[in-house]
Amino acid sequence: MVDNLFAGPRPTEGEEAFDTLLAASFAQGDRVRLERIVSNGVRFGEWYDQAWDEWVMVACGEAVLEWGDGTTVGLVAGDYLRIEARRRHRVVRTSADCVWLAFHLGGGE
């Protein structure tokens, strides 16, 4: 079966939808998870302080992340970055058409 990263219903304005595309556990107990996040005009999302590293990429649209120290980083389609474990962050805003890929390294449900 072939799926499409950009297909499917969009969340209501100001909301996000999370879909796990792939998840695996390894003998050592390590976990990885690939997630698709569809954001529709999000403003000042919740703060995250995860126990695992995360790699994120904006596949479509634009987004701004804020770090715990108040600095921000803007992302456009094709931009990606690694968020280290325990680095406090949140989404400040996204465009209405923002689609992310998030690869969680080592934890999280």
Side-chain angles (χ1 to χ4, degrees), residues 43-92:
R43 299 285 186 259
F44 300 103
E46 69 180 273
W47 284 101
Y48 293 99
D49 183 3
Q50 302 162 165
W52 56 87
D53 289 349
E54 181 178 2
W55 177 92
V56 297
M57 181 186 88
V58 172
C60 180
E62 301 176 356
V64 176
L65 294 178
E66 180 181 11
W67 305 115
D69 65 5
T71 61
T72 60
V73 60
L75 302 163
V76 296
D79 288 347
Y80 61 89
L81 58 86
R82 182 175 175 182
I83 303 171
E84 298 85 11
R86 296 293 174 213
R87 185 162 189 198
R88 194 165 186 252
H89 64 284
R90 71 175 174 169
V91 175
V92 174

Side-chain angles (χ1 to χ4, degrees):
M1 180 172 144
V2 174
D3 285 315
N4 187 290
L5 186 65
F6 305 109
R10 299 209 48 85
T12 58
E13 186 174 342
E15 299 292 322
E16 291 185 304
F18 298 81
D19 297 312
T20 298
L21 303 179
L22 175 71
S25 295
F26 299 96
Q28 304 87 347
D30 293 333
R31 297 180 51 80
V32 295
R33 182 168 45 99
L34 178 62
E35 192 173 57
R36 176 183 75 143
I37 305 167
V38 180
S39 302
N40 183 352
V42 170
R43 299 285 186 259
F44 300 103
E46 69 180 273
W47 284 101
Y48 293 99
D49 183 3
Q50 302 162 165
W52 56 87
D53 289 349
E54 181 178 2
W55 177 92
V56 297
M57 181 186 88
V58 172
C60 180
E62 301 176 356
V64 176
L65 294 178
E66 180 181 11
W67 305 115
D69 65 5
T71 61
T72 60
V73 60
L75 302 163
V76 296
D79 288 347
Y80 61 89
L81 58 86
R82 182 175 175 182
I83 303 171
E84 298 85 11
R86 296 293 174 213
R87 185 162 189 198
R88 194 165 186 252
H89 64 284
R90 71 175 174 169
V91 175
V92 174
R93 68 178 170 274
T94 70
S95 58
D97 63 342
C98 188
V99 177
W100 313 68
L101 284 177
F103 191 63
H104 300 268
L105 305 162
E109 289 299 320

